[in-house]
Amino acid sequence: QVQLVESGGGLVQAGGSLKLSCAASGNIFTINTMGWYRQAPGKQRELVATITSGSSTTYADSVKGRFTISRDNAKNTVYLQMNSLKPDDTAVYYCNLKMKFLREYDYWGQGTQVTVSS
């Protein structure tokens, strides 16, 4: 079974930066999409950014220009560089892996807390 291990969360002041990482292990298909989602207390989970194995990216409008997603295909690792953090960015951030072979497979990390103080 695939496992996703996240790291990099923590407490930062508004305007600061933080970098999250997520390493996937197991039987990872070559063609896949990895991404980050977040969920704040009392709110629905939302997509933050995704990146395909071909390096195509998508971003939520709220993070465009501030966050950058990247990946190392050889290591099956995805990163999220977060700059100019705002208190509204406070949430639990979840790593996600999607891949398809006859059916779609969807995997999630354990989540890492990001807290931005004002």
Side-chain angles (χ1 to χ4, degrees):
Q1 186 178 4
V2 171
Q3 290 186 325
L4 304 178
V5 180
E6 302 168 330
S7 62
L11 173 65
V12 298
Q13 292 184 330
S17 298
L18 204 62
K19 188 173 184 178
L20 308 181
S21 64
C22 172
S25 62
N27 187 19
I28 311 299
F29 303 157
T30 301
I31 301 176
N32 60 70
T33 298
M34 300 185 75
W36 293 93
Y37 294 72
R38 67 186 183 186
Q39 186 167 27
K43 297 183 178 180
Q44 296 183 7
R45 184 180 64 190
E46 64 175 351
L47 184 147
V48 177
T50 65
I51 183 167
T52 70
S53 48
S55 298
S56 296
T57 61
T58 62
Y59 293 93
D61 288 340
S62 60
V63 307
K64 286 182 179 178
R66 300 188 298 119
F67 291 10
T68 302
I69 189 169
S70 61
R71 64 184 291 164
D72 184 334
N73 289 340
K75 297 181 178 179
N76 289 129
T77 300
V78 63
Y79 307 92
L80 185 67
Q81 178 65 53
M82 303 183 291
N83 298 325
S84 301
L85 283 162
K86 306 174 181 179
D88 285 347
D89 295 319
T90 295
V92 177
Y93 284 70
Y94 296 93
C95 179
N96 173 258
L97 168 65
K98 288 183 172 64
M99 53 190 189
K100 188 174 183 178
F101 180 76
L102 301 181
R103 57 156 286 180
E104 184 176 279
Y105 297 86
D106 196 6
Y107 300 94
W108 295 90
Q110 78 283 358
T112 184
Q113 177 71 47
V114 172
T115 302
V116 184
S117 64
S118 60

